[in-house]
Amino acid sequence: MRVTRLSTTPVKGLALHHPISIRVDETGAVGDRLFYLADERPSLVSIAKGGALLGARAEYDAATGRLALREGDNVLAEDEVRLGAEVDTDFFTFRIAPGRVVEGPFSEILSERAGRTLQLVKATDTLRAHDVEPLTLLGEGSIDRLSEVAGAPVDSRRFRMLIEFDGGPPHVEDTWEGSRIQIGDATLVGGGPVQRCAGTTRHPDSGKVDLKTLALIGEYRGRQDSVFGLGFNFGVYARCIVPGEIRVGDDVVVAD
């Protein structure tokens, strides 16, 4: 088994980057999901209700502290990240995520795209804008099985997983909970299943709802348990115990 794709984004819910390598530590992939979007309550805003946001791409330079939002070649907004009020955001009732509101043009631009009032928030805890664990894994075998049920190829980017790999039977990653996983220079420990939301029904480029992903998963997997209760699971969480670099093409070696 080898890594086939890596997916990150500085702002949770915006367009994905696909670097050839990442560095992971106990907080996740460096530079990944540093920011998130919250509504007025405040609660985390998922792409399940904000598909228009998928067309916006965020680029963050940690050295200069500058954030840019782009759509294709167009710059929607670019400014230094200036932090304002503290805020505690409800993440799917699973945890309360502390952060600070980002001042400047970003919230207004993203609110216009989403058609609702949003605020861009920089996470201030070590879990950042992750919900359960900072790393996620998905095998191509699982995507192939879902594609068989769908009767057409399913784009794995819908699931926005950090690490994708080839080889192994469908859902082999489900058997890795508690196992040590060596990928590149890093050592991970497999976690529990990722319960999917309606965000996976949206096309990863257009943001339009075009596939009944949850119904398809349920057709052959049924409802399964997770930390969120019964739902439709696809892919798994993981955490890093030995920091290091992970590259596309690295072997995925699992030790019982």
Side-chain angles (χ1 to χ4, degrees):
M1 296 180 289
R2 292 185 177 179
V3 176
T4 56
R5 177 184 284 153
L6 300 167
S7 300
T8 64
T9 174
V11 180
K12 184 179 179 70
L14 269 57
L16 295 172
H17 300 244
H18 299 294
I20 60 172
S21 68
I22 56 175
R23 180 169 179 81
V24 298
D25 58 26
E26 66 278 3
T27 68
V30 174
D32 185 38
R33 284 147 171 100
L34 302 173
F35 305 86
Y36 61 85
L37 292 165
D39 61 19
E40 295 171 299
R41 285 177 282 184
S43 294
L44 178 69
V45 174
S46 164
I47 60 170
K49 297 182 179 180
L53 298 172
L54 283 170
R57 176 185 176 94
E59 297 174 355
Y60 180 64
D61 185 335
T64 63
R66 295 188 67 83
L67 176 67
L69 300 180
R70 305 180 189 275
E71 184 175 35
D73 295 329
N74 297 324
V75 178
L76 303 175
E78 184 173 3
D79 201 354
E80 179 183 351
V81 171
R82 302 186 303 277
L83 300 180
E86 295 182 352
V87 62
D88 290 325
T89 303
D90 179 7
F91 268 40
F92 308 124
T93 71
F94 179 74
R95 75 180 187 99
I96 299 299
R100 293 182 63 184
V101 175
V102 177
E103 298 179 343
F106 305 108
S107 294
E108 181 179 355
I109 296 265
L110 293 169
S111 296
E112 290 176 358
R113 291 185 67 89
R116 58 188 297 199
T117 301
L118 304 177
Q119 53 185 359
L120 180 65
V121 181
K122 189 175 191 299
T124 55
D125 67 347
T126 56
L127 197 53
R128 304 202 298 260
H130 304 285
D131 45 15
V132 179
E133 296 282 4
L135 307 176
T136 53
L137 297 161
L138 178 63
E140 286 188 357
S142 305
I143 290 293
D144 291 343
R145 181 70 183 96
L146 182 60
S147 298
E148 290 176 5
V149 175
V154 174
D155 192 331
S156 62
R157 294 179 301 155
R158 290 178 181 274
F159 299 98
R160 302 177 67 83
M161 304 297 272
L162 178 66
I163 302 168
E164 298 177 41
F165 62 91
D166 64 8
H171 305 292
V172 65
E173 60 271 19
D174 289 1
T175 68
W176 295 350
E177 187 168 5
S179 295
R180 294 168 71 95
I181 307 163
Q182 187 71 35
I183 311 178
D185 304 321
T187 304
L188 318 182
V189 172
V194 179
Q195 187 179 117
R196 311 316 311 209
C197 71
T200 61
T201 66
R202 295 186 179 276
H203 190 279
D205 293 323
S206 70
K208 294 181 179 179
V209 175
D210 65 349
L211 186 68
K212 296 180 178 180
T213 319
L214 303 183
L216 291 169
I217 295 171
E219 184 176 329
Y220 79 101
R221 304 204 82 194
R223 289 182 179 270
Q224 298 174 304
D225 199 18
S226 76
V227 295
F228 294 107
L230 289 177
F232 304 105
N233 298 339
F234 205 80
V236 298
Y237 294 107
R239 57 187 174 85
C240 176
I241 58 172
V242 178
E245 187 174 6
I246 294 175
R247 299 160 287 267
V248 172
D250 278 347
D251 290 331
V252 178
V253 181
V254 182
D256 293 333

